[in-house]
Amino acid sequence: VVDRPDLSSFIFPAIVDRGEVVVAIGTAGASPVLARRLRERIESLVPARIGELAALMSRYRCRVAAIKSTISPRLFWQRVIDGPIADLALSGRSREAEGALARAIETAGRGRRESETGTVFLVGAGPGDPDLLTLRALQVLQDADIVFYDELVAAGVLERARRDAERVFVGKRRGAPGIGQGEINRKLVQAAHAGRRVVRLKGGDPFVFGRGGEELEALRAAGVPVVVVPGVTAALGCAAEAGLPLTYRSEASRVTFVTAQQAKGAAPIDWSALADRTTTVVIYMGLAEAETVRDGLIAAGRAPSTPAAVLARGTRPDAQSAVGRLDELPALAAAVGEGPALLVVGNVVARSTPWLAEAARAAADVQDAA
Ligand SMILES: C[S@@+](CC[C@H](N)C(=O)[O-])C[C@H]1O[C@@H](n2cnc3c(N)ncnc32)[C@H](O)[C@@H]1O
């Protein structure tokens, strides 16, 4: 009888079940609800693949126990759990993890130690609201020795990192240039080679206009183990907040993310590819380019009356939006103040919460005037 200890001869704990790894939470029958709440908390802290890591370790237990060397099995396993082998297993790269473990056993058998290179996690910090971090992002943040972050990472997100992790700003402050991508890459490699668990926090998702690809390649080239942890990109966070469906049956069958800031030497944006009226266009880094965006899209054939929105500082406490027509885009951009901001163009904007609120306000004004 779950909540009647006096009628029971044994206790049902609340269970976190990850295969080989099981956590049981009991309250001696005092409060199964409390045990369930606690289980929910623990569920979010224990990586989903911890059981797979345990199974891998179990398969190699005897081989590790048989290693004839100065390193004890306990120390060997400790290094596995705290190092890149566990990082690979927990991120679903089980074959690589197994290969690395076999190599580590072989090296230890020859009385040597695997290199101490730490793992770099390229982590998406989301658009601002810390509650939008993924569980894996939270787990690696809480394990980090050092966190490199840029100007788009909200303070609330950084606070979720391990208290004594070193925090290094590598972004651009207003008016001052950043340290440059080459230098960031160098710092990441250096920290990993020093054996540290490195988190590289990037606003939104690392692979959406975030230069995550370049960092990944630099780390690979330096032989540093890398794990990419996706994040909620600004378009998804801002659209959710604004109640703006980016696609909609028969009205918006395509969504395109485009940057208004092209790299030096890149071909200019081909607006004609975005002319189709069923395409929702989300423009990153476009706050200062609203005129160019408006002119490009209208010249490509989008109607000047197409609904448009500017969503600034989305999911942050000071989020602000402005809605109107495509031909009003520069005025909308001027109305929201500072970035970061997205421009959104497409019929679905007319379904968003700010648009509906604006329409209700206009209707009330008409009624007042009458
Ligand atoms: C260098 S890009 C980085 C994009 C990021 N990797 C992502 O996935 O969201 C910076 C641009 O993202 C957009 N952005 C980032 N965070 C935002 C937010 N909270 N609200 C609106 N736009 C945001 C802005 O257009 C900003 O200029």
PDB file of all heavy atoms in Angstrom, residues 49-62:
ATOM      1  N   ARG A  49      22.040   8.539 -21.538  1.00  0.00           N
ATOM      2  CA  ARG A  49      22.826   7.375 -21.970  1.00  0.00           C
ATOM      3  C   ARG A  49      23.775   6.866 -20.901  1.00  0.00           C
ATOM      4  O   ARG A  49      24.717   6.142 -21.209  1.00  0.00           O
ATOM      5  CB  ARG A  49      23.608   7.729 -23.243  1.00  0.00           C
ATOM      6  CG  ARG A  49      22.715   8.042 -24.425  1.00  0.00           C
ATOM      7  CD  ARG A  49      23.511   8.039 -25.711  1.00  0.00           C
ATOM      8  NE  ARG A  49      22.666   8.301 -26.845  1.00  0.00           N
ATOM      9  CZ  ARG A  49      22.404   9.506 -27.331  1.00  0.00           C
ATOM     10  NH1 ARG A  49      22.943  10.564 -26.764  1.00  0.00           N
ATOM     11  NH2 ARG A  49      21.609   9.663 -28.368  1.00  0.00           N
ATOM     12  N   ILE A  50      23.549   7.214 -19.646  1.00  0.00           N
ATOM     13  CA  ILE A  50      24.463   6.762 -18.578  1.00  0.00           C
ATOM     14  C   ILE A  50      24.476   5.235 -18.494  1.00  0.00           C
ATOM     15  O   ILE A  50      25.507   4.629 -18.205  1.00  0.00           O
ATOM     16  CB  ILE A  50      24.072   7.405 -17.219  1.00  0.00           C
ATOM     17  CG1 ILE A  50      25.206   7.248 -16.204  1.00  0.00           C
ATOM     18  CG2 ILE A  50      22.796   6.843 -16.651  1.00  0.00           C
ATOM     19  CD1 ILE A  50      25.979   8.487 -16.001  1.00  0.00           C
ATOM     20  N   GLY A  51      23.334   4.613 -18.805  1.00  0.00           N
ATOM     21  CA  GLY A  51      23.259   3.149 -18.776  1.00  0.00           C
ATOM     22  C   GLY A  51      24.157   2.544 -19.850  1.00  0.00           C
ATOM     23  O   GLY A  51      24.798   1.512 -19.638  1.00  0.00           O
ATOM     24  N   GLU A  52      24.220   3.227 -21.021  1.00  0.00           N
ATOM     25  CA  GLU A  52      25.082   2.722 -22.102  1.00  0.00           C
ATOM     26  C   GLU A  52      26.556   2.820 -21.700  1.00  0.00           C
ATOM     27  O   GLU A  52      27.359   1.942 -22.013  1.00  0.00           O
ATOM     28  CB  GLU A  52      24.836   3.516 -23.388  1.00  0.00           C
ATOM     29  CG  GLU A  52      23.486   3.193 -23.987  1.00  0.00           C
ATOM     30  CD  GLU A  52      23.086   4.162 -25.082  1.00  0.00           C
ATOM     31  OE1 GLU A  52      23.958   4.589 -25.864  1.00  0.00           O
ATOM     32  OE2 GLU A  52      21.886   4.493 -25.141  1.00  0.00           O
ATOM     33  N   LEU A  53      26.892   3.899 -20.991  1.00  0.00           N
ATOM     34  CA  LEU A  53      28.272   4.040 -20.511  1.00  0.00           C
ATOM     35  C   LEU A  53      28.584   2.916 -19.520  1.00  0.00           C
ATOM     36  O   LEU A  53      29.639   2.278 -19.598  1.00  0.00           O
ATOM     37  CB  LEU A  53      28.451   5.416 -19.846  1.00  0.00           C
ATOM     38  CG  LEU A  53      29.796   5.649 -19.158  1.00  0.00           C
ATOM     39  CD1 LEU A  53      30.953   5.584 -20.153  1.00  0.00           C
ATOM     40  CD2 LEU A  53      29.810   7.001 -18.436  1.00  0.00           C
ATOM     41  N   ALA A  54      27.630   2.660 -18.626  1.00  0.00           N
ATOM     42  CA  ALA A  54      27.850   1.596 -17.634  1.00  0.00           C
ATOM     43  C   ALA A  54      28.005   0.246 -18.336  1.00  0.00           C
ATOM     44  O   ALA A  54      28.867  -0.566 -17.965  1.00  0.00           O
ATOM     45  CB  ALA A  54      26.684   1.558 -16.649  1.00  0.00           C
ATOM     46  N   ALA A  55      27.195  -0.002 -19.379  1.00  0.00           N
ATOM     47  CA  ALA A  55      27.270  -1.274 -20.095  1.00  0.00           C
ATOM     48  C   ALA A  55      28.640  -1.415 -20.772  1.00  0.00           C
ATOM     49  O   ALA A  55      29.251  -2.496 -20.762  1.00  0.00           O
ATOM     50  CB  ALA A  55      26.136  -1.357 -21.121  1.00  0.00           C
ATOM     51  N   LEU A  56      29.122  -0.309 -21.352  1.00  0.00           N
ATOM     52  CA  LEU A  56      30.449  -0.324 -21.997  1.00  0.00           C
ATOM     53  C   LEU A  56      31.519  -0.666 -20.955  1.00  0.00           C
ATOM     54  O   LEU A  56      32.392  -1.517 -21.195  1.00  0.00           O
ATOM     55  CB  LEU A  56      30.728   1.049 -22.630  1.00  0.00           C
ATOM     56  CG  LEU A  56      32.126   1.278 -23.191  1.00  0.00           C
ATOM     57  CD1 LEU A  56      32.366   0.392 -24.416  1.00  0.00           C
ATOM     58  CD2 LEU A  56      32.331   2.750 -23.580  1.00  0.00           C
ATOM     59  N   MET A  57      31.437  -0.030 -19.798  1.00  0.00           N
ATOM     60  CA  MET A  57      32.426  -0.284 -18.754  1.00  0.00           C
ATOM     61  C   MET A  57      32.348  -1.733 -18.278  1.00  0.00           C
ATOM     62  O   MET A  57      33.373  -2.371 -18.016  1.00  0.00           O
ATOM     63  CB  MET A  57      32.207   0.694 -17.587  1.00  0.00           C
ATOM     64  CG  MET A  57      32.529   2.123 -17.988  1.00  0.00           C
ATOM     65  SD  MET A  57      31.989   3.334 -16.771  1.00  0.00           S
ATOM     66  CE  MET A  57      33.096   2.985 -15.439  1.00  0.00           C
ATOM     67  N   SER A  58      31.131  -2.230 -18.210  1.00  0.00           N
ATOM     68  CA  SER A  58      30.954  -3.602 -17.754  1.00  0.00           C
ATOM     69  C   SER A  58      31.626  -4.589 -18.718  1.00  0.00           C
ATOM     70  O   SER A  58      32.282  -5.546 -18.309  1.00  0.00           O
ATOM     71  CB  SER A  58      29.454  -3.864 -17.619  1.00  0.00           C
ATOM     72  OG  SER A  58      29.183  -5.211 -17.676  1.00  0.00           O
ATOM     73  N   ARG A  59      31.508  -4.311 -20.048  1.00  0.00           N
ATOM     74  CA  ARG A  59      32.112  -5.210 -21.048  1.00  0.00           C
ATOM     75  C   ARG A  59      33.635  -5.249 -20.925  1.00  0.00           C
ATOM     76  O   ARG A  59      34.267  -6.218 -21.303  1.00  0.00           O
ATOM     77  CB  ARG A  59      31.729  -4.758 -22.468  1.00  0.00           C
ATOM     78  CG  ARG A  59      30.306  -5.087 -22.847  1.00  0.00           C
ATOM     79  CD  ARG A  59      30.117  -5.075 -24.350  1.00  0.00           C
ATOM     80  NE  ARG A  59      30.378  -3.799 -24.987  1.00  0.00           N
ATOM     81  CZ  ARG A  59      29.529  -2.769 -24.988  1.00  0.00           C
ATOM     82  NH1 ARG A  59      28.370  -2.872 -24.352  1.00  0.00           N
ATOM     83  NH2 ARG A  59      29.831  -1.648 -25.613  1.00  0.00           N
ATOM     84  N   TYR A  60      34.239  -4.160 -20.444  1.00  0.00           N
ATOM     85  CA  TYR A  60      35.703  -4.082 -20.407  1.00  0.00           C
ATOM     86  C   TYR A  60      36.286  -4.255 -19.000  1.00  0.00           C
ATOM     87  O   TYR A  60      37.478  -4.103 -18.818  1.00  0.00           O
ATOM     88  CB  TYR A  60      36.167  -2.747 -21.031  1.00  0.00           C
ATOM     89  CG  TYR A  60      36.079  -2.778 -22.543  1.00  0.00           C
ATOM     90  CD1 TYR A  60      34.879  -2.572 -23.197  1.00  0.00           C
ATOM     91  CD2 TYR A  60      37.213  -3.058 -23.309  1.00  0.00           C
ATOM     92  CE1 TYR A  60      34.791  -2.627 -24.574  1.00  0.00           C
ATOM     93  CE2 TYR A  60      37.137  -3.112 -24.689  1.00  0.00           C
ATOM     94  CZ  TYR A  60      35.928  -2.890 -25.314  1.00  0.00           C
ATOM     95  OH  TYR A  60      35.855  -2.944 -26.675  1.00  0.00           O
ATOM     96  N   ARG A  61      35.422  -4.551 -18.031  1.00  0.00           N
ATOM     97  CA  ARG A  61      35.887  -4.661 -16.634  1.00  0.00           C
ATOM     98  C   ARG A  61      37.048  -5.632 -16.472  1.00  0.00           C
ATOM     99  O   ARG A  61      38.064  -5.301 -15.882  1.00  0.00           O
ATOM    100  CB  ARG A  61      34.733  -5.140 -15.747  1.00  0.00           C
ATOM    101  CG  ARG A  61      34.036  -4.063 -15.002  1.00  0.00           C
ATOM    102  CD  ARG A  61      32.970  -4.669 -14.128  1.00  0.00           C
ATOM    103  NE  ARG A  61      33.567  -5.193 -12.894  1.00  0.00           N
ATOM    104  CZ  ARG A  61      33.844  -4.451 -11.849  1.00  0.00           C
ATOM    105  NH1 ARG A  61      33.551  -3.162 -11.874  1.00  0.00           N
ATOM    106  NH2 ARG A  61      34.396  -4.963 -10.775  1.00  0.00           N
ATOM    107  N   CYS A  62      36.871  -6.845 -17.045  1.00  0.00           N
ATOM    108  CA  CYS A  62      37.902  -7.874 -16.843  1.00  0.00           C
ATOM    109  C   CYS A  62      39.213  -7.447 -17.494  1.00  0.00           C
ATOM    110  O   CYS A  62      40.292  -7.630 -16.915  1.00  0.00           O
ATOM    111  CB  CYS A  62      37.440  -9.208 -17.428  1.00  0.00           C
ATOM    112  SG  CYS A  62      36.025  -9.830 -16.552  1.00  0.00           S
TER     113      CYS A  62
END
